[in-house]
């Protein structure tokens, strides 16, 4: 069960663990053209993840603005995980 007042920072550890299990080196709060919440690096592959406490139009609008071939957004759900 999720806490009633979840913060974006609460999402960092599970996302970091997921990336590290796949051999990514993980960085937080990385400054590109804008700030990225989480960046994973595996060789020359960069994965940028935006952390949000809920799925919203703001989150969906924010992700395509990045110029990266691999991009993820993390929002807690009802027990199902997905990548878009």
């Amino acid at each position: 069960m999720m806490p009633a007042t979840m913060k974006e920072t609460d999402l960092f550890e599970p996302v970091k663990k997921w990336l590290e299990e796949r051999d990514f080196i993980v960085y937080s709060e990385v400054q590109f053209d804008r700030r990225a919440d989480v960046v994973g690096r595996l060789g020359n592959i960069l994965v940028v993840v935006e952390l949000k406490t809920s799925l919203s139009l703001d989150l969906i609008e924010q992700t395509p603005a990045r110029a990266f071939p691999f991009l993820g957004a993390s929002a807690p759900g009802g027990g199902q995980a997905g990548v878009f």
Side-chain angles (χ1 to χ4, degrees):
M1 185 166 188
M2 288 182 286
T5 57
M6 180 176 279
K7 298 177 283 190
E8 288 180 11
T9 54
D10 296 331
L11 299 173
F12 176 72
E13 285 302 323
V15 170
K16 178 180 183 240
K17 180 182 177 195
W18 189 90
L19 287 167
E20 287 177 339
E21 287 172 349
R22 288 150 181 82
D23 297 325
F24 281 85
I25 298 170
V26 180
Y27 305 91
S28 65
E29 302 296 327
V30 177
Q31 185 66 40
F32 290 104
D33 59 328
R34 297 186 312 190
R35 183 191 50 80
D37 293 331
V38 181
V39 174
R41 183 175 62 86
L42 179 62
N44 63 352
I45 298 172
L46 288 179
V47 176
V48 176
V49 181
E50 284 299 320
L51 303 174
K52 299 294 180 202
T53 57
S54 64
L55 185 59
S56 66
L57 185 56
D58 177 53
L59 174 61
I60 294 168
E61 287 177 341
Q62 191 174 2
T63 53
R66 306 260 185 204
F68 296 101
F70 301 98
L71 185 64
S74 175
Q80 294 186 344
V83 176
F84 61 91

